[in-house]
């Protein structure tokens, strides 16, 4: 086993060797610029990009000309929300998004609200589900865009996209979904789900970092976007800049492998997840977060009372790499900030601070899961033995036990 064992697949994933192999020629022999129209190097690169575009389009039931390559989901989310908001500002200024969205949606919404847009945040239920009725309830004649993530990156809850899409269709409102965590793990169909814009990223599906895509619907209706980066007019003018050819090839290969192996991997990894989760839930007082009926098959979010995640993760750092939540909120190093997702599902600050997130995946083994379960349980025991609050709670429990 490679130590520490990597169990943070929601933050990023190792690149699949098959993906590396597919990418390599586009860095060495076939290094051409996909925009070079006058020689074979350019044609080869362009051919690879168009092949990737077609394959990604097919994976979500879109057309190739509806795929815009970007540097990742953060950029896709920026382009989708800011691009639409600017393009159809004359139709209204109201935007609706979920409360448990990734920072790359929430921060963009904050910028938009400083620029004259009104943003409403849809509440979620205790399991993190955005209810279509709740979205409908917030709509006004000024609403132009709804953004709800396909699956949550902390608690794994999968949104009822088709139902939310139907509400948007009925009200003539554009629907964007950040599908970064869901893509490659559940089937997504932009036509059936009435999705107008969809963000994906390669590095969450065993592809390389720094590449992603945005689906932008071209008909029924044709979605117009104001580009957020100008230059040579690449990607139909929607996203200028020399295309990351190896990255795009890697994204398509990563998607192809994910969808090809989806059935068996959801079974195998799902079983490992269940095994690890069951072990953790056997800890006194531990509880699961997220929607047990509808969530990502590789996600675990558990709250272990009296054990601060920060201390537990530090105690385990040589054995297992896990996290307390989103890597993107930890990027700002504001450790005091507790997860907005856990707040939204009703956890108080203390319970949120006692929550760990584990993401298993393609390269996780049964041996690793067994080892991790033992280590976590042991560390919880040690930390609780040192916790005066836990000792006190145990005493009060035993006092209440009738003898
Ligand atoms: C990781 C993630 C992002 C950001 O993707 P990048 O490609 O790293 O910019 C956005 N949304 C969700 C839900 C994510 O999990």
């Amino acid at each position: 086993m490679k130590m520490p064992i990597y169990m943070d697949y929601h933050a990023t994933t190792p690149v699949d060797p098959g993906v590396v192999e597919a990418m390599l020629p586009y860095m060495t022999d076939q290094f051409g610029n996909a925009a070079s129209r006058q020689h074979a190097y350019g044609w080869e690169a362009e051919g690879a990009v168009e092949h990737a575009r077609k394959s990604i389009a097919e994976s979500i039931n879109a057309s190739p000309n509806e795929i815009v390559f970007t540097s990742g989901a953060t950029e896709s989310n920026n382009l989708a929300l800011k691009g639409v908001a600017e393009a159809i500002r004359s139709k209204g200024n109201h935007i609706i998004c979920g409360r448990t969205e990734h920072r790359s949606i929430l921060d963009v919404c904050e910028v938009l609200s400083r620029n004259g847009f009104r943003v409403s945040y849809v509440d979620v239920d205790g399991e993190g589900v955005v209810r279509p009725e709740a979205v409908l309830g917030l709509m006004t004649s000024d609403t132009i865009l709804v953004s709800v993530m396909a699956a949550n990156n902390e608690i794994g809850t999968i949104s009822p996209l088709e139902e939310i899409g139907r509400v948007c269709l009925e009200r003539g409102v554009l629907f964007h979904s950040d599908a970064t965590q869901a893509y490659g793990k559940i089937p997504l169909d932009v036509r059936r789900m009435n999705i107008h814009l969809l963000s994906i990223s390669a590095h969450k599906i065993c592809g390389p970092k720094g590449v992603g895509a945005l689906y932008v619907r071209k008909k029924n209706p044709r979605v117009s976007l104001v580009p957020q980066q100008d230059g040579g007019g690449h990607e139909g003018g929607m996203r200028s800049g020399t295309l990351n050819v190896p990255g795009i090839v890697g994204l398509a290969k990563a998607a192809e492998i994910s969808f090809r192996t989806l059935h068996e991997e959801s079974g195998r990894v799902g079983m490992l997840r269940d095994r690890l989760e069951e072990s953790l839930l056997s800890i006194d007082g531990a509880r699961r977060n997220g929607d047990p009926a509808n969530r990502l098959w590789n996600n675990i979010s558990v709250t272990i009372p009296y054990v601060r995640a920060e201390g537990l993760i530090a105690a385990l750092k040589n054995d297992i790499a896990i996290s307390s939540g989103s890597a993107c909120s930890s990027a700002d190093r504001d450790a005091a900030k507790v997860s907005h997702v856990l707040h939204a599902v009703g956890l108080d600050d203390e319970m949120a601070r006692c929550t760990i997130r584990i993401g298993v995946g393609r390269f996780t083994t049964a041996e690793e899961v067994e080892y991790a379960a033992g280590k976590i349980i042991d560390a919880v025991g040690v930390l609780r033995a040192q916790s005066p609050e836990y000792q006190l709670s145990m005493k009060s429990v035993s006092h209440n036990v009738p003898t």
Side-chain angles (χ1 to χ4, degrees):
M1 286 191 287
K2 182 186 183 306
M3 304 299 286
I5 297 167
Y6 188 74
M7 290 197 169
D8 200 12
Y9 272 69
H10 301 294
T12 195
T13 59
V15 182
D16 192 289
V19 172
V20 176
E21 197 189 337
M23 291 172 69
L24 275 177
Y26 294 96
M27 295 189 234
T28 52
D29 288 351
Q30 291 152 262
F31 59 84
N33 184 326
S36 295
R37 290 279 151 78
Q38 290 163 315
H39 51 66
Y41 291 88
W43 304 329
E44 242 169 19
E46 191 194 13
V49 167
E50 293 319 312
H51 182 75
R53 198 187 304 281
K54 185 162 173 285
S55 142
I56 287 164
E58 277 169 9
S59 72
I60 55 171
N61 194 20
S63 302
N65 68 346
E66 296 176 313
I67 303 297
V68 176
F69 290 114
T70 65
S71 65
T74 299
E75 187 190 336
S76 297
N77 288 342
N78 270 266
L79 177 56
L81 269 56
K82 291 176 182 167
V84 162
E86 274 183 52
I88 59 173
R89 166 160 234 162
S90 61
K91 291 194 181 148
N93 73 339
H94 183 227
I95 294 164
I96 297 173
C97 84
R99 251 188 223 294
T100 60
E101 293 295 311
H102 189 264
R103 289 248 63 98
S104 58
I105 294 289
L106 295 177
D107 288 357
V108 170
C109 283
E110 220 172 283
V111 170
L112 289 172
S113 69
R114 268 184 261 131
N115 292 334
F117 290 90
R118 196 165 68 78
V119 181
S120 301
Y121 298 89
V122 205
D123 286 326
V124 295
D125 68 14
E127 294 173 338
V129 182
V130 174
R131 296 259 154 244
E133 314 83 72
V135 175
L136 184 63
L138 288 172
M139 283 184 177
T140 71
S141 56
D142 275 335
T143 309
I144 52 172
L145 176 67
V146 167
S147 183
V148 174
M149 70 201 318
N152 186 268
N153 51 300
E154 291 188 35
I155 59 175
T157 298
I158 295 170
S159 303
L161 293 182
E162 196 167 344
E163 290 79 0
I164 297 170
R166 200 172 303 134
V167 166
C168 292
L169 183 72
E170 279 162 14
R171 299 290 300 253
V173 171
L174 294 179
F175 180 29
H176 166 258
S177 184
D178 174 357
T180 312
Q181 294 287 341
Y183 183 67
K185 298 210 181 64
I186 58 170
L188 291 167
D189 181 325
V190 292
R191 309 230 174 264
R192 187 169 53 79
M193 295 171 160
N194 284 304
I195 292 169
H196 301 103
L197 302 123
L198 184 106
S199 304
I200 64 172
S201 180
H203 76 104
K204 304 289 175 78
I205 57 166
C206 298
K209 291 169 184 59
V211 62
L214 177 67
Y215 156 75
V216 185
R217 190 181 280 238
K218 278 280 163 71
K219 56 176 196 274
N220 304 319
R222 180 190 175 87
V223 175
S224 48
L225 281 188
V226 173
Q228 301 297 307
Q229 176 163 302
D230 303 302
H234 308 75
E235 297 298 272
M238 295 241 228
R239 201 275 187 178
S240 287
T242 300
L243 290 179
N244 175 1
V245 179
I248 290 165
V249 169
L251 166 62
K253 186 68 183 177
E256 186 248 300
I257 297 173
S258 297
F259 284 107
R260 177 160 47 78
T261 59
L262 202 166
H263 182 71
E264 67 183 85
E265 279 292 276
S266 60
R268 186 190 71 85
V269 177
M271 209 168 69
L272 293 177
R273 186 277 307 269
D274 289 347
R275 209 181 295 166
L276 180 53
E277 188 178 63
E278 258 169 54
S279 305
L280 301 183
L281 291 175
S282 73
I283 295 170
D284 175 37
R287 47 163 285 193
R288 168 173 58 203
N289 302 298
D291 180 356
N294 243 324
R295 64 187 173 131
L296 294 176
W297 39 263
N298 70 328
N299 172 270
I300 298 176
S301 170
V302 285
T303 303
I304 307 174
Y306 303 104
V307 181
R308 288 284 181 92
E310 211 182 330
L312 180 61
I313 291 162
L316 291 166
K317 68 177 188 299
N318 296 322
D319 298 305
I320 324 166
I322 57 171
S323 71
S324 56
S326 164
C328 303
S329 355
S330 43
D332 69 13
R333 308 222 168 265
D334 187 355
K337 222 194 255 169
V338 308
S339 154
H340 66 281
V341 176
L342 299 174
H343 266 172
V345 296
L347 269 63
D348 63 18
D349 281 7
E350 183 55 28
M351 287 300 106
R353 288 203 177 92
C354 293
T355 301
I356 51 170
R357 174 187 73 171
I358 299 177
V360 289
R362 188 173 301 163
F363 301 101
T364 305
T365 64
E367 192 189 6
E368 288 178 336
V369 159
E370 197 172 319
Y371 180 85
K375 283 288 174 188
I376 296 171
I377 290 169
D378 289 351
V380 166
V382 170
L383 291 168
R384 279 185 169 175
Q386 296 165 353
S387 156
E389 291 87 358
Y390 182 69
Q391 299 306 325
L392 209 62
S393 82
M394 290 309 284
K395 271 202 201 100
S396 65
V397 168
S398 56
H399 279 167
N400 292 338
V401 175
T403 45

